[in-house]
Amino acid sequence: VQLQASGGGLVQAGGSLRLSCAASGRVPSMYHMAWFRQAPKKEREFVAAISRSGDSTLYADTVKGRFTISGDNVNDTVYLQMSSLNVEDTAVYYCGARRSAWFDPRMMTRARYIDSWGQGTLVTVSS
C-alpha cells in the first residue's frame, strides 16, 4: 500500500490543524492505520491509530483529548484532527499502515511493526 500524507504547516499555539493520509495500491481496506511523529533529535513516537473497521482507536497520552483520528473508507483516507496545539507538538508527522487480522495495541504503537510509511508532513507550532 502507498501512503501520501498532507496538511502540515505553521500554526500558532492553541490552534488547530487537520492532517490527511491517502492510501492507494494493494487493498488499503485491509490495513490498520496510525500516525507517528518525529521531532528533531528524537525517536519516532506513536500518536494515534485506528482499526481498519474504524471501530477502535488508540491515542498517546500526550495527545488524548486534543487529537482525533478518523477514517474514510470510501476514499481510503485517514485524518488526524489536531486541536489545542502546543510547541511540543512540533514534528514531522508520518502516517503508517499495518496489515494484520487483529488490531493489537502492542503492535500499532511501535514503529518497527508498521509495514508501510508515508513521506511525512511537517507541523510547526509557534508560541
Side-chain angles (χ1 to χ4, degrees):
V1 65
Q2 291 79 48
L3 305 174
Q4 181 73 35
S6 62
L10 175 64
V11 62
Q12 285 190 330
S16 300
L17 209 58
R18 189 178 80 159
L19 305 183
S20 300
C21 176
S24 61
R26 197 168 180 179
V27 197
S29 61
M30 297 181 68
Y31 288 79
H32 309 298
M33 301 296 293
W35 286 97
F36 284 70
R37 66 186 181 186
Q38 189 166 16
K41 300 182 181 180
K42 291 190 176 181
E43 292 186 356
R44 192 169 296 190
E45 66 173 6
F46 170 75
V47 175
I50 187 167
S51 63
R52 59 188 182 185
S53 67
D55 293 341
S56 299
T57 57
L58 297 168
Y59 294 95
D61 288 342
T62 52
V63 307
K64 202 172 292 183
R66 300 188 299 122
F67 291 12
T68 302
I69 189 170
S70 61
D72 178 353
N73 287 336
V74 174
N75 296 307
D76 292 326
T77 301
V78 174
Y79 303 99
L80 185 68
Q81 178 67 48
M82 306 184 294
S83 303
S84 302
L85 286 161
N86 55 61
V87 292
E88 288 77 27
D89 295 316
T90 295
V92 177
Y93 284 71
Y94 297 90
C95 61
R98 173 175 169 79
R99 181 172 177 170
S100 175
W102 298 279
F103 184 66
D104 189 337
R106 296 170 298 178
M107 303 297 182
M108 293 303 302
T109 58
R110 290 171 171 80
R112 64 180 181 270
Y113 294 118
I114 300 300
D115 298 320
S116 301
W117 292 101
Q119 86 287 6
T121 185
L122 176 62
V123 173
T124 303
V125 183
S126 63
S127 60

